[in-house]
Amino acid sequence: ILTSANYPNNIVIGTSTTEFESDLIFTSVTTPSRIINDVVEHNGMLIAVGDTIIMSLDDGDTWVQVHNINSNPKVTFELKSVTHATLTGFTGFVAVGSGQILDATSGITTVVDSNSVFVSTNGYAWTKINPFSYNAFNSVTSDGTNLVAVGDNNSIYYSLNGSYWIGITETSVLGTNGATNSVSLLSV
């Protein structure tokens, strides 16, 4: 992460300043993360995401890890985007990206690619939402009413609260019935 007092929002993600105007002065800041893909600011709190979730309360001068998203050595996660949203059913941060899940439906446990979503109402405590798509998410934003996440294979999902997501371009499973061996689907 690079910081500059004379650059908009003071934060630049990257390792080179060659693409910026020559009159800008940058300072390189050490973070507890190897990969940083996005950063958002809300009320003086900076949240950055990548291979972990980190926070700064001093304009990006110092960073601390607030959530280790890769605590299970059998699967990996990488967050690609983070936003802050104020919705009717949720106010807080939402981070999205790619992940993996352990799937044993075939009788043999395999690692399967999936999306990843983490939510936090305060920036300190984060909750992982169970994966609901095999497509990684690349970006998330909010219009004040909905959260919208877009990802691989043109997948688009929306949410009113960050925890329950509805597929716009994928079929959503509404429920299953083991007695009748049926699946209720909603194609939107």
Short mmCIF file of all heavy atoms in Angstrom, two decimals, residues 45-109:
data_model
loop_
_atom_site.label_atom_id
_atom_site.label_comp_id
_atom_site.label_asym_id
_atom_site.label_seq_id
_atom_site.Cartn_x
_atom_site.Cartn_y
_atom_site.Cartn_z
N MET A 45 -12.33 4.80 9.08
CA MET A 45 -11.82 3.43 9.13
C MET A 45 -11.55 2.96 7.71
O MET A 45 -12.41 3.05 6.85
CB MET A 45 -12.84 2.50 9.79
CG MET A 45 -12.42 1.05 9.85
SD MET A 45 -13.69 -0.05 10.54
CE MET A 45 -13.66 0.47 12.25
N LEU A 46 -10.33 2.48 7.48
CA LEU A 46 -9.97 1.89 6.20
C LEU A 46 -9.97 0.38 6.35
O LEU A 46 -9.38 -0.16 7.29
CB LEU A 46 -8.58 2.35 5.77
CG LEU A 46 -8.42 3.82 5.43
CD1 LEU A 46 -6.96 4.20 5.37
CD2 LEU A 46 -9.11 4.13 4.11
N ILE A 47 -10.63 -0.31 5.43
CA ILE A 47 -10.63 -1.77 5.38
C ILE A 47 -10.04 -2.17 4.04
O ILE A 47 -10.50 -1.71 2.99
CB ILE A 47 -12.05 -2.36 5.53
CG1 ILE A 47 -12.67 -1.97 6.86
CG2 ILE A 47 -12.04 -3.87 5.32
CD1 ILE A 47 -12.06 -2.64 8.07
N ALA A 48 -9.02 -3.02 4.06
CA ALA A 48 -8.40 -3.54 2.84
C ALA A 48 -8.55 -5.05 2.82
O ALA A 48 -8.49 -5.70 3.87
CB ALA A 48 -6.94 -3.15 2.76
N VAL A 49 -8.76 -5.60 1.61
CA VAL A 49 -8.97 -7.03 1.47
C VAL A 49 -8.04 -7.61 0.42
O VAL A 49 -7.64 -6.93 -0.52
CB VAL A 49 -10.44 -7.37 1.13
CG1 VAL A 49 -11.38 -6.93 2.24
CG2 VAL A 49 -10.85 -6.76 -0.21
N GLY A 50 -7.74 -8.88 0.58
CA GLY A 50 -6.91 -9.65 -0.34
C GLY A 50 -6.83 -11.06 0.19
O GLY A 50 -7.84 -11.76 0.24
N ASP A 51 -5.64 -11.45 0.67
CA ASP A 51 -5.50 -12.77 1.26
C ASP A 51 -5.84 -12.76 2.75
O ASP A 51 -5.75 -13.78 3.42
CB ASP A 51 -4.10 -13.34 1.02
CG ASP A 51 -3.00 -12.50 1.65
OD1 ASP A 51 -3.27 -11.38 2.12
OD2 ASP A 51 -1.85 -12.98 1.66
N THR A 52 -6.25 -11.63 3.26
CA THR A 52 -6.72 -11.46 4.63
C THR A 52 -7.53 -10.17 4.68
O THR A 52 -7.68 -9.50 3.66
CB THR A 52 -5.53 -11.44 5.62
OG1 THR A 52 -6.02 -11.53 6.94
CG2 THR A 52 -4.69 -10.19 5.47
N ILE A 53 -8.05 -9.81 5.83
CA ILE A 53 -8.76 -8.54 6.00
C ILE A 53 -7.96 -7.71 7.00
O ILE A 53 -7.69 -8.17 8.11
CB ILE A 53 -10.20 -8.74 6.49
CG1 ILE A 53 -10.99 -9.61 5.50
CG2 ILE A 53 -10.90 -7.39 6.68
CD1 ILE A 53 -12.37 -10.02 5.98
N ILE A 54 -7.56 -6.50 6.57
CA ILE A 54 -6.78 -5.63 7.43
C ILE A 54 -7.48 -4.29 7.61
O ILE A 54 -8.34 -3.92 6.80
CB ILE A 54 -5.34 -5.44 6.91
CG1 ILE A 54 -5.34 -4.83 5.51
CG2 ILE A 54 -4.60 -6.77 6.92
CD1 ILE A 54 -3.95 -4.53 4.97
N MET A 55 -7.11 -3.57 8.68
CA MET A 55 -7.77 -2.31 9.01
C MET A 55 -6.73 -1.26 9.40
O MET A 55 -5.70 -1.58 9.99
CB MET A 55 -8.71 -2.52 10.20
CG MET A 55 -9.29 -1.23 10.75
SD MET A 55 -9.92 -1.40 12.44
CE MET A 55 -11.10 -2.69 12.23
N SER A 56 -7.04 -0.01 9.08
CA SER A 56 -6.24 1.13 9.53
C SER A 56 -7.18 2.18 10.08
O SER A 56 -8.22 2.47 9.49
CB SER A 56 -5.41 1.71 8.39
OG SER A 56 -4.73 2.87 8.83
N LEU A 57 -6.79 2.77 11.19
CA LEU A 57 -7.56 3.87 11.79
C LEU A 57 -6.80 5.18 11.74
O LEU A 57 -7.24 6.18 12.31
CB LEU A 57 -7.94 3.52 13.24
CG LEU A 57 -8.83 2.30 13.40
CD1 LEU A 57 -9.00 1.94 14.87
CD2 LEU A 57 -10.18 2.52 12.75
N ASP A 58 -5.64 5.19 11.06
CA ASP A 58 -4.81 6.41 11.03
C ASP A 58 -4.42 6.78 9.59
O ASP A 58 -3.27 7.04 9.29
CB ASP A 58 -3.58 6.25 11.92
CG ASP A 58 -2.67 5.11 11.47
OD1 ASP A 58 -2.98 4.45 10.45
OD2 ASP A 58 -1.67 4.88 12.15
N ASP A 59 -5.39 6.84 8.70
CA ASP A 59 -5.19 7.22 7.30
C ASP A 59 -4.25 6.30 6.54
O ASP A 59 -3.61 6.71 5.58
CB ASP A 59 -4.69 8.67 7.19
CG ASP A 59 -5.75 9.67 7.59
OD1 ASP A 59 -6.95 9.39 7.39
OD2 ASP A 59 -5.37 10.74 8.12
N GLY A 60 -4.12 5.07 6.98
CA GLY A 60 -3.32 4.10 6.26
C GLY A 60 -1.87 4.03 6.66
O GLY A 60 -1.09 3.31 6.04
N ASP A 61 -1.48 4.74 7.71
CA ASP A 61 -0.08 4.69 8.15
C ASP A 61 0.27 3.36 8.81
O ASP A 61 1.37 2.83 8.62
CB ASP A 61 0.24 5.84 9.11
CG ASP A 61 0.24 7.18 8.37
OD1 ASP A 61 0.53 7.20 7.16
OD2 ASP A 61 -0.04 8.20 9.02
N THR A 62 -0.64 2.80 9.61
CA THR A 62 -0.42 1.49 10.23
C THR A 62 -1.64 0.61 9.97
O THR A 62 -2.76 1.09 9.95
CB THR A 62 -0.18 1.62 11.76
OG1 THR A 62 -1.30 2.28 12.34
CG2 THR A 62 1.09 2.36 12.06
N TRP A 63 -1.38 -0.67 9.79
CA TRP A 63 -2.42 -1.64 9.47
C TRP A 63 -2.34 -2.82 10.42
O TRP A 63 -1.24 -3.25 10.79
CB TRP A 63 -2.26 -2.14 8.03
CG TRP A 63 -2.50 -1.08 7.02
CD1 TRP A 63 -1.60 -0.16 6.57
CD2 TRP A 63 -3.73 -0.79 6.34
NE1 TRP A 63 -2.20 0.67 5.64
CE2 TRP A 63 -3.50 0.30 5.49
CE3 TRP A 63 -5.00 -1.38 6.37
CZ2 TRP A 63 -4.49 0.83 4.67
CZ3 TRP A 63 -5.98 -0.86 5.55
CH2 TRP A 63 -5.73 0.24 4.72
N VAL A 64 -3.49 -3.37 10.78
CA VAL A 64 -3.55 -4.57 11.62
C VAL A 64 -4.50 -5.57 10.96
O VAL A 64 -5.49 -5.19 10.33
CB VAL A 64 -4.01 -4.28 13.06
CG1 VAL A 64 -3.01 -3.41 13.79
CG2 VAL A 64 -5.39 -3.65 13.08
N GLN A 65 -4.18 -6.84 11.11
CA GLN A 65 -5.08 -7.88 10.61
C GLN A 65 -6.26 -7.99 11.55
O GLN A 65 -6.09 -8.12 12.76
CB GLN A 65 -4.35 -9.22 10.52
CG GLN A 65 -5.24 -10.34 10.03
CD GLN A 65 -4.48 -11.64 9.85
OE1 GLN A 65 -3.50 -11.69 9.14
NE2 GLN A 65 -4.96 -12.68 10.50
N VAL A 66 -7.47 -7.96 11.00
CA VAL A 66 -8.66 -8.12 11.83
C VAL A 66 -9.35 -9.45 11.59
O VAL A 66 -10.16 -9.88 12.40
CB VAL A 66 -9.67 -6.95 11.64
CG1 VAL A 66 -9.09 -5.67 12.20
CG2 VAL A 66 -10.08 -6.77 10.19
N HIS A 67 -9.05 -10.11 10.46
CA HIS A 67 -9.65 -11.42 10.22
C HIS A 67 -8.77 -12.23 9.27
O HIS A 67 -8.44 -11.77 8.19
CB HIS A 67 -11.05 -11.28 9.64
CG HIS A 67 -11.80 -12.58 9.60
ND1 HIS A 67 -12.34 -13.16 10.71
CD2 HIS A 67 -12.06 -13.43 8.58
CE1 HIS A 67 -12.93 -14.30 10.38
NE2 HIS A 67 -12.77 -14.48 9.09
N ASN A 68 -8.41 -13.44 9.69
CA ASN A 68 -7.64 -14.36 8.85
C ASN A 68 -8.63 -15.20 8.06
O ASN A 68 -9.24 -16.11 8.61
CB ASN A 68 -6.74 -15.24 9.72
CG ASN A 68 -5.96 -16.25 8.90
OD1 ASN A 68 -5.96 -16.20 7.67
ND2 ASN A 68 -5.32 -17.17 9.58
N ILE A 69 -8.79 -14.92 6.78
CA ILE A 69 -9.77 -15.64 5.97
C ILE A 69 -9.27 -17.01 5.55
O ILE A 69 -10.04 -17.84 5.08
CB ILE A 69 -10.20 -14.84 4.72
CG1 ILE A 69 -9.03 -14.62 3.77
CG2 ILE A 69 -10.82 -13.52 5.13
CD1 ILE A 69 -9.42 -14.02 2.43
N ASN A 70 -7.97 -17.28 5.70
CA ASN A 70 -7.39 -18.55 5.28
C ASN A 70 -6.95 -19.38 6.47
O ASN A 70 -5.83 -19.87 6.53
CB ASN A 70 -6.22 -18.30 4.32
CG ASN A 70 -6.70 -17.87 2.96
OD1 ASN A 70 -7.49 -18.56 2.33
ND2 ASN A 70 -6.27 -16.70 2.52
N SER A 71 -7.85 -19.59 7.42
CA SER A 71 -7.50 -20.35 8.62
C SER A 71 -7.55 -21.86 8.42
O SER A 71 -7.00 -22.61 9.21
CB SER A 71 -8.42 -19.95 9.78
OG SER A 71 -9.77 -20.17 9.43
N ASN A 72 -8.22 -22.34 7.36
CA ASN A 72 -8.28 -23.76 7.06
C ASN A 72 -7.24 -24.08 5.98
O ASN A 72 -7.36 -23.62 4.85
CB ASN A 72 -9.67 -24.15 6.57
CG ASN A 72 -9.81 -25.64 6.29
OD1 ASN A 72 -8.83 -26.37 6.18
ND2 ASN A 72 -11.04 -26.09 6.16
N PRO A 73 -6.19 -24.85 6.29
CA PRO A 73 -5.13 -25.10 5.30
C PRO A 73 -5.58 -25.93 4.09
O PRO A 73 -4.87 -26.00 3.10
CB PRO A 73 -4.06 -25.84 6.11
CG PRO A 73 -4.80 -26.45 7.25
CD PRO A 73 -5.95 -25.53 7.55
N LYS A 74 -6.76 -26.54 4.15
CA LYS A 74 -7.23 -27.37 3.04
C LYS A 74 -7.87 -26.56 1.92
O LYS A 74 -8.00 -27.05 0.80
CB LYS A 74 -8.22 -28.41 3.56
CG LYS A 74 -7.57 -29.41 4.51
CD LYS A 74 -8.57 -30.42 4.98
CE LYS A 74 -7.91 -31.39 5.96
NZ LYS A 74 -8.83 -32.38 6.47
N VAL A 75 -8.33 -25.34 2.22
CA VAL A 75 -8.97 -24.49 1.22
C VAL A 75 -8.39 -23.08 1.31
O VAL A 75 -7.86 -22.69 2.33
CB VAL A 75 -10.51 -24.45 1.41
CG1 VAL A 75 -11.13 -25.80 1.18
CG2 VAL A 75 -10.88 -23.92 2.78
N THR A 76 -8.51 -22.33 0.22
CA THR A 76 -7.99 -20.97 0.21
C THR A 76 -9.07 -19.99 -0.24
O THR A 76 -10.01 -20.36 -0.95
CB THR A 76 -6.77 -20.82 -0.73
OG1 THR A 76 -7.19 -21.18 -2.06
CG2 THR A 76 -5.63 -21.70 -0.31
N PHE A 77 -8.90 -18.76 0.18
CA PHE A 77 -9.81 -17.68 -0.17
C PHE A 77 -8.99 -16.47 -0.58
O PHE A 77 -7.90 -16.26 -0.07
CB PHE A 77 -10.70 -17.27 1.02
CG PHE A 77 -11.63 -18.36 1.46
CD1 PHE A 77 -11.25 -19.24 2.46
CD2 PHE A 77 -12.87 -18.50 0.88
CE1 PHE A 77 -12.11 -20.25 2.87
CE2 PHE A 77 -13.73 -19.50 1.28
CZ PHE A 77 -13.35 -20.38 2.28
N GLU A 78 -9.53 -15.67 -1.50
CA GLU A 78 -8.94 -14.38 -1.83
C GLU A 78 -10.08 -13.41 -2.07
O GLU A 78 -10.94 -13.64 -2.92
CB GLU A 78 -8.05 -14.45 -3.07
CG GLU A 78 -7.40 -13.12 -3.38
CD GLU A 78 -6.48 -13.17 -4.58
OE1 GLU A 78 -6.02 -14.25 -4.96
OE2 GLU A 78 -6.22 -12.09 -5.13
N LEU A 79 -10.08 -12.34 -1.31
CA LEU A 79 -11.12 -11.32 -1.45
C LEU A 79 -10.67 -10.30 -2.48
O LEU A 79 -9.54 -9.84 -2.47
CB LEU A 79 -11.40 -10.67 -0.10
CG LEU A 79 -11.98 -11.64 0.93
CD1 LEU A 79 -12.11 -10.98 2.29
CD2 LEU A 79 -13.32 -12.18 0.46
N LYS A 80 -11.60 -9.95 -3.39
CA LYS A 80 -11.26 -9.06 -4.50
C LYS A 80 -11.86 -7.67 -4.36
O LYS A 80 -11.38 -6.73 -4.98
CB LYS A 80 -11.77 -9.69 -5.80
CG LYS A 80 -11.34 -11.13 -5.99
CD LYS A 80 -10.39 -11.28 -7.13
CE LYS A 80 -9.90 -12.69 -7.24
NZ LYS A 80 -10.50 -13.47 -8.26
N SER A 81 -12.92 -7.53 -3.55
CA SER A 81 -13.61 -6.25 -3.48
C SER A 81 -14.26 -6.08 -2.11
O SER A 81 -14.68 -7.07 -1.49
CB SER A 81 -14.69 -6.19 -4.58
OG SER A 81 -15.40 -4.98 -4.54
N VAL A 82 -14.34 -4.84 -1.65
CA VAL A 82 -14.99 -4.54 -0.38
C VAL A 82 -15.76 -3.23 -0.52
O VAL A 82 -15.34 -2.34 -1.26
CB VAL A 82 -13.95 -4.46 0.78
CG1 VAL A 82 -12.95 -3.35 0.56
CG2 VAL A 82 -14.64 -4.32 2.13
N THR A 83 -16.88 -3.14 0.16
CA THR A 83 -17.68 -1.92 0.16
C THR A 83 -18.31 -1.74 1.53
O THR A 83 -18.37 -2.67 2.32
CB THR A 83 -18.78 -1.98 -0.93
OG1 THR A 83 -19.35 -0.67 -1.10
CG2 THR A 83 -19.89 -2.97 -0.58
N HIS A 84 -18.76 -0.54 1.78
CA HIS A 84 -19.56 -0.26 2.97
C HIS A 84 -20.96 0.06 2.48
O HIS A 84 -21.14 0.78 1.50
CB HIS A 84 -19.02 0.90 3.79
CG HIS A 84 -19.78 1.09 5.06
ND1 HIS A 84 -20.95 1.84 5.14
CD2 HIS A 84 -19.58 0.59 6.30
CE1 HIS A 84 -21.41 1.78 6.37
NE2 HIS A 84 -20.59 1.04 7.10
N ALA A 85 -21.96 -0.50 3.15
CA ALA A 85 -23.35 -0.30 2.73
C ALA A 85 -24.21 0.08 3.92
O ALA A 85 -24.02 -0.42 5.03
CB ALA A 85 -23.90 -1.57 2.08
N THR A 86 -25.16 0.95 3.67
CA THR A 86 -26.19 1.28 4.65
C THR A 86 -27.52 0.94 4.00
O THR A 86 -28.01 1.66 3.12
CB THR A 86 -26.15 2.78 5.03
OG1 THR A 86 -24.85 3.06 5.56
CG2 THR A 86 -27.20 3.09 6.07
N LEU A 87 -28.09 -0.20 4.41
CA LEU A 87 -29.34 -0.71 3.85
C LEU A 87 -30.39 -0.78 4.94
O LEU A 87 -30.07 -0.64 6.13
CB LEU A 87 -29.12 -2.11 3.26
CG LEU A 87 -27.96 -2.29 2.30
CD1 LEU A 87 -27.77 -3.75 1.96
CD2 LEU A 87 -28.18 -1.47 1.05
N THR A 88 -31.62 -1.04 4.59
CA THR A 88 -32.68 -1.20 5.58
C THR A 88 -32.39 -2.35 6.54
O THR A 88 -32.56 -2.23 7.73
CB THR A 88 -34.04 -1.43 4.88
OG1 THR A 88 -34.28 -0.33 4.00
CG2 THR A 88 -35.16 -1.55 5.88
N GLY A 89 -31.89 -3.48 6.02
CA GLY A 89 -31.66 -4.66 6.84
C GLY A 89 -30.22 -4.88 7.27
O GLY A 89 -29.91 -5.87 7.91
N PHE A 90 -29.31 -3.95 6.91
CA PHE A 90 -27.90 -4.17 7.21
C PHE A 90 -27.12 -2.87 7.05
O PHE A 90 -27.32 -2.13 6.09
CB PHE A 90 -27.32 -5.23 6.27
CG PHE A 90 -25.83 -5.41 6.37
CD1 PHE A 90 -25.29 -6.17 7.40
CD2 PHE A 90 -24.98 -4.82 5.46
CE1 PHE A 90 -23.92 -6.35 7.50
CE2 PHE A 90 -23.62 -5.00 5.55
CZ PHE A 90 -23.08 -5.76 6.57
N THR A 91 -26.23 -2.61 7.98
CA THR A 91 -25.26 -1.53 7.85
C THR A 91 -23.90 -2.09 8.21
O THR A 91 -23.72 -2.63 9.30
CB THR A 91 -25.61 -0.34 8.77
OG1 THR A 91 -26.86 0.20 8.37
CG2 THR A 91 -24.54 0.74 8.68
N GLY A 92 -22.96 -2.00 7.28
CA GLY A 92 -21.63 -2.52 7.55
C GLY A 92 -20.84 -2.75 6.29
O GLY A 92 -21.17 -2.23 5.22
N PHE A 93 -19.79 -3.55 6.44
CA PHE A 93 -18.87 -3.85 5.35
C PHE A 93 -19.21 -5.22 4.75
O PHE A 93 -19.60 -6.14 5.46
CB PHE A 93 -17.43 -3.89 5.87
CG PHE A 93 -16.96 -2.58 6.41
CD1 PHE A 93 -17.06 -2.30 7.76
CD2 PHE A 93 -16.41 -1.63 5.57
CE1 PHE A 93 -16.61 -1.09 8.27
CE2 PHE A 93 -15.96 -0.41 6.07
CZ PHE A 93 -16.06 -0.14 7.42
N VAL A 94 -19.01 -5.32 3.43
CA VAL A 94 -19.18 -6.59 2.72
C VAL A 94 -17.97 -6.76 1.81
O VAL A 94 -17.63 -5.86 1.05
CB VAL A 94 -20.48 -6.62 1.88
CG1 VAL A 94 -20.58 -7.91 1.10
CG2 VAL A 94 -21.69 -6.41 2.76
N ALA A 95 -17.32 -7.92 1.93
CA ALA A 95 -16.17 -8.24 1.09
C ALA A 95 -16.49 -9.51 0.30
O ALA A 95 -17.08 -10.45 0.84
CB ALA A 95 -14.92 -8.45 1.95
N VAL A 96 -16.11 -9.52 -0.97
CA VAL A 96 -16.40 -10.68 -1.82
C VAL A 96 -15.14 -11.11 -2.57
O VAL A 96 -14.21 -10.32 -2.75
CB VAL A 96 -17.53 -10.39 -2.84
CG1 VAL A 96 -18.81 -10.00 -2.13
CG2 VAL A 96 -17.10 -9.33 -3.84
N GLY A 97 -15.14 -12.37 -3.01
CA GLY A 97 -14.02 -12.87 -3.78
C GLY A 97 -14.20 -14.31 -4.18
O GLY A 97 -15.31 -14.79 -4.39
N SER A 98 -13.06 -15.01 -4.24
CA SER A 98 -13.07 -16.41 -4.62
C SER A 98 -12.73 -17.26 -3.41
O SER A 98 -12.10 -16.80 -2.47
CB SER A 98 -12.05 -16.66 -5.74
OG SER A 98 -10.75 -16.32 -5.30
N GLY A 99 -13.15 -18.52 -3.48
CA GLY A 99 -12.87 -19.42 -2.38
C GLY A 99 -12.92 -20.85 -2.83
O GLY A 99 -13.04 -21.14 -4.03
N GLN A 100 -12.84 -21.72 -1.87
CA GLN A 100 -12.94 -23.15 -2.13
C GLN A 100 -13.74 -23.78 -1.00
O GLN A 100 -13.75 -23.27 0.12
CB GLN A 100 -11.56 -23.79 -2.18
CG GLN A 100 -10.70 -23.29 -3.32
CD GLN A 100 -9.31 -23.87 -3.26
OE1 GLN A 100 -8.74 -24.03 -2.19
NE2 GLN A 100 -8.76 -24.20 -4.42
N ILE A 101 -14.43 -24.86 -1.34
CA ILE A 101 -15.15 -25.62 -0.33
C ILE A 101 -14.78 -27.08 -0.47
O ILE A 101 -14.34 -27.53 -1.53
CB ILE A 101 -16.68 -25.44 -0.45
CG1 ILE A 101 -17.18 -25.83 -1.86
CG2 ILE A 101 -17.11 -24.04 -0.11
CD1 ILE A 101 -18.68 -25.83 -2.01
N LEU A 102 -14.94 -27.81 0.62
CA LEU A 102 -14.75 -29.26 0.59
C LEU A 102 -16.08 -29.89 0.26
O LEU A 102 -17.07 -29.66 0.94
CB LEU A 102 -14.22 -29.76 1.93
CG LEU A 102 -12.85 -29.22 2.34
CD1 LEU A 102 -12.48 -29.69 3.74
CD2 LEU A 102 -11.78 -29.62 1.33
N ASP A 103 -16.13 -30.67 -0.81
CA ASP A 103 -17.37 -31.27 -1.28
C ASP A 103 -17.25 -32.79 -1.20
O ASP A 103 -16.35 -33.38 -1.78
CB ASP A 103 -17.63 -30.83 -2.72
CG ASP A 103 -18.93 -31.38 -3.29
OD1 ASP A 103 -19.72 -31.96 -2.52
OD2 ASP A 103 -19.14 -31.22 -4.49
N ALA A 104 -18.17 -33.41 -0.46
CA ALA A 104 -18.15 -34.88 -0.31
C ALA A 104 -19.39 -35.52 -0.91
O ALA A 104 -19.71 -36.67 -0.60
CB ALA A 104 -18.02 -35.23 1.16
N THR A 105 -20.10 -34.82 -1.79
CA THR A 105 -21.34 -35.36 -2.34
C THR A 105 -21.12 -36.60 -3.18
O THR A 105 -22.01 -37.42 -3.32
CB THR A 105 -22.08 -34.30 -3.17
OG1 THR A 105 -21.20 -33.81 -4.19
CG2 THR A 105 -22.56 -33.14 -2.30
N SER A 106 -19.93 -36.77 -3.76
CA SER A 106 -19.66 -37.95 -4.59
C SER A 106 -19.17 -39.14 -3.76
O SER A 106 -18.94 -40.21 -4.31
CB SER A 106 -18.61 -37.60 -5.65
OG SER A 106 -17.37 -37.37 -5.02
N GLY A 107 -19.02 -38.93 -2.47
CA GLY A 107 -18.48 -39.99 -1.62
C GLY A 107 -17.00 -39.83 -1.37
O GLY A 107 -16.44 -40.43 -0.46
N ILE A 108 -16.35 -39.02 -2.18
CA ILE A 108 -14.94 -38.70 -2.02
C ILE A 108 -14.83 -37.20 -1.81
O ILE A 108 -15.40 -36.42 -2.58
CB ILE A 108 -14.12 -39.13 -3.26
CG1 ILE A 108 -14.22 -40.64 -3.49
CG2 ILE A 108 -12.67 -38.69 -3.13
CD1 ILE A 108 -13.61 -41.10 -4.78
N THR A 109 -14.11 -36.78 -0.79
CA THR A 109 -13.98 -35.36 -0.51
C THR A 109 -13.01 -34.72 -1.50
O THR A 109 -11.87 -35.17 -1.66
CB THR A 109 -13.48 -35.12 0.93
OG1 THR A 109 -14.41 -35.73 1.83
CG2 THR A 109 -13.37 -33.64 1.23
#
